[in-house]
C-alpha cells in the first residue's frame, strides 16, 4: 500500500490520521530509549525508544516478532515503527490501533510511515545510539558505513542464499517436500528461502521430478478471494528481477521443469535443472519462488558449494545418517543448520542470525535479546572508601 493509500485506509478504519503515530519530541527522547528496527530498511537504538522500521515482506509477522517483551518490555524499550511504504497498514498501523485500543501509554508504541529518506534520516540522527537492521545486504552495508564513521553500535540481519543439501541416502519424498516448502512458501519472499538445491548425482533426477510434481500442484492466485498456495510478488520490479534471473539461466543452458512464467504479479513456482555455480540464479539471492538444482558427487564438493556464497544464513541437510550431518554442520559457514529439515525455520526463543553477507554475527531472539538490545554497565559499591598507597 502506498503512502496516499495508507492515509485513506487509516481514515477509513477510524485512525486519527497518522497522529496515532506522532513523531517523538525531544523531551520524550530524554526520557526513553528508542530502538529502531528496520525490516528491509533498519533498526536503531535511540536514547530511550525502540524505533522499528520494516519493509514489505511478512510485515505483520516481522513487526510482532521484534516487538517482543524482551525488547519492548523487559528491557525497557519503547517502540517507534517505520514500516515499508508498501505495507504500512499490516506492517504497523494495525498494531498501533490495537495498542491504542488496549490503552497502552502514549509514546510506548508509535509508527512513522515514510519512504527511504525517512529511514536514512533516522539512521544518521546523532541521538540514535544503535542500529539493528533487517533487510538487504546492499542497504546493510550502507548502514554499517554510517555507523562506523561515528562508532555507533549496529546489528545487521541481512539477505540469504540458503542451501539444501540432499545426500545419496536421503528420503527423497521428505527432501523434496522440504525443498518445495523452503523455496515456494511466501512466494520465496523470505530471507530463509531455499535458493540453492545441492543434490547428489545418484538421486538428482528423482529429487527434481518430485520437486517438479510438487511445484505443478501448487495454485497461484489472490489469497484474499481464493484458496491458493502462492500469492503475488510484492511489485513489478521484484517480479521482473526474478524473471530476469530465470531467463538468464535458461539462456545459459539451464532447463525449466516447471514454471518460468507469470501472470501479472503471480509467478509460477519454478524448478530449474542444469544449473551451474557461475549462474546468477545460483549465486544471487532470488527472493522469488524459484528452485535451482545443482549436482554434486562428494560431500566435500557440496560443502564447498555452500561455502562459496558470500551469504551465510541457513542450510538444510537431508541424510539418513544424522550424526554425519551434525559433523558436516560444523564445516558450514552459516548461522543455522537443520538436519533433515528445510531452511525456513525460526523459533522465537532461539537466537536467530547469520554470518558474512547475511550479518555481522549478532543474534536476536530468546536470551540473545538481552545482549543485543542492552548495554552492560559495571557498578562497584563499597560502604567504606578504599585507601590507596598514592
Amino acid at each position: 500500500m502506498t503512502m496516499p493509500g495508507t492515509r485513506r485506509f487509516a481514515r477509513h478504519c477510524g485512525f486519527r490520521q497518522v497522529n496515532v503515530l506522532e513523531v517523538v519530541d525531544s523531551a520524550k527522547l530524554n526520557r526513553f530509549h528508542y530502538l529502531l528496527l528496520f525490516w528491509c530498511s533498519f533498526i536503531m537504538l535511540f536514547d530511550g525508544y525502540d524505533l522499528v522500521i520494516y519493509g514489505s515482506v511478512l510485515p505483520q509477522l516481522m513487526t510482532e516478532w521484534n516487538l517482543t517483551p524482551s525488547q519492548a518490555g523487559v528491557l525497557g524499550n519503547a517502540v517507534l515503527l517505520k514500516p515499508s511504504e508498501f505495507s504500512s497498514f499490516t506492517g504497523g498501523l494495525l498494531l498501533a490501533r490495537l495498542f491504542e485500543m488496549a490503552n497502552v501509554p502514549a509514546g510506548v508504541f508509535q509508527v512513522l510511515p515514510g519512504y527511504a529518506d525517512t529511514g536514512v534520516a533516522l539512521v544518521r540522527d546523532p541521538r540514535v545510539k544503535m542500529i539493528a537492521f533487517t533487510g538487504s545486504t546492499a542497504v546493510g552495508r550502507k548502514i554499517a558505513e554510517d555507523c562506523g564513521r561515528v562508532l555507533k553500535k549496529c546489528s545487521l540481519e541481512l539477505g540469504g542464499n540458503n542451501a539444501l543439501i540432499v545426500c545419496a541416502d536421503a528420503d527423497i519424498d521428505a527432501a523434496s517436500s522440504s525443498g518445495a516448502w523452503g523455496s515456494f512458501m511466501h512466494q520465496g519472499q523470505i530471507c530463509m528461502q531455499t535458493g540453492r538445491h545441492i543434490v547428489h548425482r545418484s538421486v538428482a533426477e528423482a529429487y527434481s521430478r518430485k520437486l517438479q510434481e510438487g511445484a505443478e500442484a501448487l495454485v497461484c492466485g489472490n489469497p484474499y478471494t481464493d484458496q491458493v498456495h502462492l500469492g503475488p510478488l510484492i511489485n513489478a520490479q521484484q517480479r521482473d528481477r526474478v524473471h530476469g534471473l530465470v531467463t538468464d539461466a535458461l539462456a545459459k543452458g539451464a532447463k525449466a521443469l516447471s514454471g518460468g512464467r507469470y501472470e501479472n504479479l503471480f509467478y509460477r513456482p519454478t524448478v530449474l535443472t542444469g544449473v551451474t555455480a557461475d549462474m546468477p540464479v545460483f549465486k544471487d539471492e532470488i527472493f522469488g519462488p524459484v528452485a535451482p538444482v545443482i549436482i554434486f558427487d562428494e560431500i566435500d564438493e557440496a560443502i564447498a558449494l555452500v561455502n562459496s556464497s558470500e551469504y551465510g544464513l541457513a542450510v538444510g541437510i537431508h541424510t539418513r545418517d544424522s550424526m554425519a550431518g551434525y559433523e558436516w554442520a560444523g564445516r558450514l559457514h552459516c548461522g543455522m543448520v537443520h538436519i533433515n529439515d528445510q531452511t525456513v525455520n525460526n523459533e522465537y526463543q532461539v537466537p536467530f542470525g547469520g554470518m558474512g553477507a547475511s550479518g555481522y554475527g549478532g543474534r536476536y531472539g530468546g536470551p540473545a535479546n538481552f545482549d543485543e538490545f542492552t548495554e552492560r554497565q559495571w557498578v562497584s559499591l563499597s560502604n567504606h572508601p578504599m585507601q590507596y598507597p598514592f
Side-chain angles (χ1 to χ4, degrees):
M1 184 178 292
T2 62
M3 290 301 298
T6 296
R7 294 189 185 101
R8 289 194 298 271
F9 198 94
R11 288 195 295 270
H12 177 74
C13 291
F15 282 45
R16 298 197 307 266
Q17 294 282 357
V18 284
N19 298 329
V20 166
L21 330 166
E22 309 171 297
V23 181
V24 285
D25 59 35
S26 58
K28 290 180 180 177
L29 283 174
N30 290 330
R31 300 200 306 269
F32 295 98
H33 270 330
Y34 259 78
L35 178 71
L36 172 55
L37 307 168
F38 283 177
W39 171 240
C40 291
S41 284
F42 23 75
I43 305 186
M44 45 179 96
L45 185 64
F46 247 61
D47 217 27
Y49 279 83
D50 267 6
L51 303 179
V52 185
I53 298 186
Y54 283 99
S56 55
V57 181
L58 304 179
Q60 187 173 358
L61 171 62
M62 292 306 300
T63 301
E64 293 169 352
W65 187 358
N66 285 284
L67 300 183
T68 60
S70 294
Q71 290 175 22
V74 175
L75 302 185
N77 297 313
V79 175
L80 172 60
L81 170 66
K82 192 284 179 191
S84 165
E85 64 269 28
F86 296 108
S87 57
S88 296
F89 178 70
T90 55
L93 291 168
L94 174 61
L95 282 175
R97 179 61 169 165
L98 294 175
F99 273 55
E100 185 186 39
M101 293 170 66
N103 295 317
V104 173
V108 172
F109 178 66
Q110 300 183 73
V111 180
L112 178 61
Y115 295 97
D117 56 342
T118 303
V120 171
L122 289 169
V123 168
R124 295 178 178 175
D125 193 303
R127 296 168 293 178
V128 175
K129 306 306 180 186
M130 175 185 173
I131 309 294
F133 168 71
T134 303
S136 74
T137 299
V139 175
R141 286 192 171 110
K142 294 178 181 178
I143 291 170
E145 290 174 5
D146 283 342
C147 291
R149 291 189 185 97
V150 294
L151 300 181
K152 182 182 295 187
K153 181 181 180 182
C154 68
S155 172
L156 301 177
E157 296 295 341
L158 308 177
N161 189 11
N162 312 288
L164 185 71
I165 299 175
V166 181
C167 298
D169 63 346
D171 180 327
I172 299 303
D173 288 336
S176 60
S177 175
S178 285
W181 182 265
S183 285
F184 306 141
M185 185 176 65
H186 302 310
Q187 301 78 242
Q189 297 176 115
I190 186 170
C191 63
M192 295 172 283
Q193 179 214 13
T194 304
R196 297 178 293 163
H197 298 246
I198 302 173
V199 186
H200 192 273
R201 187 179 301 277
S202 64
V203 295
E205 183 177 352
Y207 176 83
S208 299
R209 185 171 60 252
K210 285 283 187 180
L211 199 59
Q212 173 190 3
E213 292 171 358
E216 291 176 345
L218 297 177
V219 178
C220 294
N222 186 345
Y224 183 72
T225 59
D226 303 310
Q227 292 294 319
V228 300
H229 301 100
L230 276 71
L233 296 179
I234 184 61
N235 54 37
Q237 180 182 1
Q238 179 60 17
R239 177 204 62 201
D240 293 344
R241 181 183 175 277
V242 171
H243 194 57
L245 290 170
V246 171
T247 55
D248 175 78
L250 296 176
K252 293 176 178 177
K255 179 182 179 182
L257 298 187
S258 64
R261 65 186 188 278
Y262 63 85
E263 181 178 351
N264 298 321
L265 297 181
F266 301 104
Y267 205 93
R268 286 294 309 167
T270 300
V271 178
L272 298 176
T273 59
V275 173
T276 58
D278 59 343
M279 292 180 181
V281 77
F282 182 82
K283 296 189 298 182
D284 297 346
E285 183 179 30
I286 300 171
F287 234 64
V290 180
V293 179
I294 192 170
I295 291 173
F296 76 92
D297 291 299
E298 301 293 338
I299 192 61
D300 289 346
E301 181 185 358
I303 291 171
L305 284 169
V306 172
N307 292 338
S308 67
S309 173
E310 64 173 345
Y311 297 102
L313 186 56
V315 174
I317 303 174
H318 272 262
T319 175
R320 296 183 191 275
D321 189 344
S322 57
M323 292 311 298
Y326 181 78
E327 178 187 350
W328 299 332
R331 299 169 58 188
L332 298 171
H333 184 72
C334 63
M336 300 171 285
V337 181
H338 308 291
I339 312 301
N340 289 317
D341 206 345
Q342 41 79 41
T343 58
V344 186
N345 271 307
N346 68 280
E347 296 186 17
Y348 301 115
Q349 78 279 11
V350 177
F352 178 95
M355 303 176 184
S358 294
Y360 269 169
R363 298 291 183 269
Y364 65 90
N369 287 343
F370 288 93
D371 286 325
E372 196 75 352
F373 301 110
T374 64
E375 292 183 296
R376 293 180 181 270
Q377 182 185 58
W378 178 24
V379 178
S380 64
L381 185 150
S382 177
N383 289 328
H384 304 286
M386 295 289 293
Q387 292 291 330
Y388 292 95
F390 285 2

